Every structure is written in C-alpha cells, then in structure tokens.
Amino acid sequence: MQSQARSILEAAKHGPLQSLTDREMDVREQPMTIYPRPKRVRAWVRFGPEAVRVDAKLVRSTPLAAGIEFRAGEQTFQCWVWRNAVRLYGE
C-alpha cells in the first residue's frame, strides 16, 4: 500500500487528476447505479499525462463509465474513468 501511495503522489506531481466530463459519460441518456456497498476494483487513472493503476472503490457507474474513489496518504481522490479501465478484484 505504501508503494501505491508513493506512485499516486508522484503521478499527481505531473498534473491534476483527470475525470470524464458529463458529455463524455452521456449522463442525460445513461442510467446511473450507486453502490451502497462499494466494490473493490483496480483501475487506471491519469494525473496529467501520467497513468497509474490504483486500488479503488467503485462507488457508482453508468454503462460507459465508473465513478471511483481511492486514497494516497491522507488524500482521497474521486474521478470518473471509462468502464473498461476498471477490473473487479478476482477478474
């Protein structure tokens, strides 16, 4: 976990955490699922141009995107990524 936190914080130096826009997710047309018990996942995220794979919680999703949350040290990050950038543990 310490190694992942260091990787995340190092990547964060390269730019802000990227997140999909409402337009990209087509939020007006796509249904959204909110998970009362978030699922554990591995996901690719980007800080500026730097990609890093993180252990995260899947907190909501649409057919196209996944809303995830992950921590590094005392910081909690939240973003939307393409659904195919996320894998449930055990997949």
Side-chain angles (χ1 to χ4, degrees):
M1 285 296 216
Q2 300 258 349
S3 173
Q4 177 177 281
R6 279 192 300 274
S7 296
I8 292 168
L9 295 174
E10 184 62 33
K13 294 176 184 177
H14 295 276
L17 178 62
Q18 303 295 303
S19 189
L20 299 175
T21 65
D22 288 350
R23 182 174 173 214
E24 288 171 316
M25 295 185 314
D26 194 18
V27 293
R28 291 183 181 194
E29 300 296 323
Q30 301 296 324
M32 184 178 300
T33 301
I34 298 172
Y35 300 98
R37 285 186 274 163
K39 300 176 183 191
R40 291 182 49 218
V41 297
R42 295 271 293 157
W44 285 102
V45 298
R46 285 193 175 277
F47 288 90
E50 191 73 23
V52 62
R53 196 164 193 195
V54 299
D55 295 320
K57 293 178 188 174
L58 176 64
V59 294
R60 54 186 48 123
S61 67
T62 72
L64 300 174
I68 61 169
E69 182 177 287
F70 58 98
R71 293 184 56 81
E74 297 298 313
Q75 282 187 275
T76 299
F77 297 91
Q78 297 177 327
C79 65
W80 284 94
V81 297
W82 294 116
R83 193 167 180 110
N84 64 355
V86 176
R87 295 284 179 260
L88 289 173
Y89 272 96
E91 274 190 355

